[in-house]
Amino acid sequence: MVGGPLPSEHVVWIALRQKMPQRKGLENRTAGPGFILLGFSDNTNLQGLRFTVFLIIYLMVLIGNGLIVLITVVEPSLHSPMYFFLRNLSFLEICYTSTTLPKMLLAFLTGDDSISFLGCAAQLYFLVLLGSIECLLLAAMAYDRYVAICDPLHYSLIMNGRLCVRLVVASWVAVIPVQVGQTYQVFILPFCASHGLHHFFCDIPPLLELACADTFWNQVMLHTIILVFAVLPFSLIVVSYTQIVRAMLKVPSVLGRRKAFSTCSSHLGVVTLFYGSAMVVYFKQQSRDSADTDKYLALFYTIVTPMLNPVIYSLRNKEVRIALKRLPWRK
């Protein structure tokens, strides 16, 4: 069961609250089985400004990625494997940001930065689920670019519609049960008297810091899953682009090399933004001094990257720009 605490957990929490001291500054903010998101607790006078900024970001994510989904569906010239994966990536980005941003916006409006145990579990599950699927999807997109540039004569034969659908479905099927297990292992832990989570949303590293139990096996499971669903796909991306660069260097004309690079630059930019910040958060040694850095880097790969995704693809892709111009004239 992933959704909520077992009855015995309430007994553990009550006992821990009676025996363990509260963290400084959190005595009056940790009532009830749940968590307090302290990511924006430094300056409450900026809540109105923060609400405006993050609302604009959320609208940009919804509108930008929504347009990508729309034009790749209605525009016949974009019915290709590359845009099929792009459509799925944009849909994933909308779901990804919707896991965290609505709760943050509500906290800015009401001043209530608490989150229930069940809400935190659900938020964590969908966050790690969608993040893992995005890693696999980016690897599939890299393979698509590899086939298009390194084996163009067999591209339509290899990257057929059936294979594309299978790659996307396999990404979801492979990740769902694993992340159910990981979320369950985190939320069966007993948490300390202070439930102040020094983050903007529920994430595994800050939750493990609050656990009043040995988290060794949780750390092992976390890094194993990262190895399988993040490092391995990233390695496949690196191998694909290594082969792509070798193929590009063999192209005799400068124009040909530039055209080949333009088909990969957008995807490469998204990969760099997403993996660059995420790997720093999950692979460097966790410490109190790095808590602020970690949470802002987490904002980057969960919010900023989805916002920039449609901008990168529309500005760097001539076909997308043409399709966007034709969109208002379509019935």
Side-chain angles (χ1 to χ4, degrees):
M1 175 179 171
V2 179
L6 299 173
S8 59
E9 292 295 313
H10 290 280
V11 178
V12 173
W13 284 329
I14 294 171
L16 287 170
R17 289 174 195 270
Q18 293 173 348
K19 294 180 180 180
M20 299 189 64
Q22 297 281 344
R23 290 187 183 178
K24 184 178 180 181
L26 298 177
E27 293 85 351
N28 298 324
R29 307 185 66 188
T30 56
F35 300 94
I36 305 294
L37 300 174
L38 300 175
F40 289 111
S41 62
D42 52 346
N43 192 339
T44 56
N45 296 326
L46 298 176
Q47 297 296 73
L49 176 61
R50 288 166 175 165
F51 174 80
T52 304
V53 171
F54 281 92
L55 178 61
I56 293 173
I57 291 175
Y58 191 39
L59 291 175
M60 290 177 64
V61 171
L62 295 179
I63 295 172
N65 287 284
L67 281 174
I68 295 291
V69 173
L70 179 62
I71 62 173
T72 54
V73 170
V74 303
E75 179 59 46
S77 64
L78 301 183
H79 291 175
S80 65
M82 181 176 73
Y83 295 107
F84 172 79
F85 290 124
L86 176 58
R87 177 164 67 249
N88 281 273
L89 177 64
S90 296
F91 173 74
L92 202 66
E93 300 287 35
I94 292 173
C95 298
Y96 199 40
T97 52
S98 297
T99 303
T100 57
L101 269 177
K103 171 60 182 174
M104 291 168 59
L105 292 172
L106 182 63
F108 295 146
L109 276 179
T110 63
D112 181 13
D113 50 9
S114 63
I115 185 170
S116 67
F117 191 93
L118 178 60
C120 188
Q123 188 180 70
L124 174 66
Y125 171 69
F126 285 108
L127 190 72
V128 294
L129 171 72
L130 296 170
S132 300
I133 294 173
E134 182 162 349
C135 292
L136 297 176
L137 192 58
L138 288 172
M141 295 174 74
Y143 177 70
D144 171 71
R145 293 299 84 204
Y146 161 75
V147 177
I149 294 176
C150 298
D151 196 6
L153 297 179
H154 298 92
Y155 177 74
S156 58
L157 182 64
I158 297 174
M159 298 304 298
N160 55 68
R162 182 176 298 178
L163 177 63
C164 294
V165 172
R166 285 178 176 177
L167 288 174
V168 172
V169 172
S171 300
W172 285 83
V173 173
V175 173
I176 288 175
V178 175
Q179 296 301 355
V180 167
Q182 179 169 235
T183 305
Y184 174 78
Q185 291 298 323
V186 170
F187 282 91
I188 62 173
L189 291 170
F191 291 99
C192 298
S194 172
H195 285 183
L197 200 65
H198 292 273
H199 214 288
F200 306 114
F201 48 81
C202 293
D203 202 2
I204 295 177
L207 281 168
L208 293 182
E209 288 183 3
L210 295 182
C212 293
D214 184 12
T215 61
F216 172 76
W217 290 111
N218 296 87
Q219 297 285 355
V220 170
M221 185 176 185
L222 172 63
H223 287 90
T224 302
I225 291 175
I226 291 175
L227 181 66
V228 174
F229 293 111
V231 177
L232 183 58
F234 182 72
S235 301
L236 295 175
I237 293 172
V238 171
V239 171
S240 297
Y241 275 104
T242 301
Q243 297 300 319
I244 287 172
V245 170
R246 289 180 178 178
M248 287 169 57
L249 293 176
K250 295 179 182 179
V251 177
S253 66
V254 176
L255 182 61
R257 288 196 297 268
R258 186 178 300 172
K259 184 177 180 181
F261 177 75
S262 66
T263 63
C264 302
S265 58
S266 300
H267 174 258
L268 194 58
V270 173
V271 169
T272 303
L273 290 173
F274 181 79
Y275 270 101
S277 53
M279 283 190 168
V280 171
V281 172
Y282 283 97
F283 277 99
K284 74 180 185 62
Q285 185 68 31
Q286 300 294 324
S287 66
R288 295 288 183 184
D289 296 334
S290 64
D292 288 339
T293 303
D294 292 347
K295 67 183 184 182
Y296 285 112
L297 284 172
L299 271 186
F300 197 84
Y301 68 79
T302 56
I303 295 176
V304 177
T305 301
M307 179 187 67
L308 295 178
N309 174 45
V311 176
I312 293 172
Y313 276 101
S314 61
L315 292 181
R316 301 285 300 175
N317 194 299
K318 183 179 179 181
E319 291 178 307
V320 173
R321 293 199 304 269
I322 294 174
L324 284 172
K325 292 178 181 178
R326 285 204 293 250
L327 185 62
W329 305 104
R330 288 193 167 274
K331 292 183 180 180

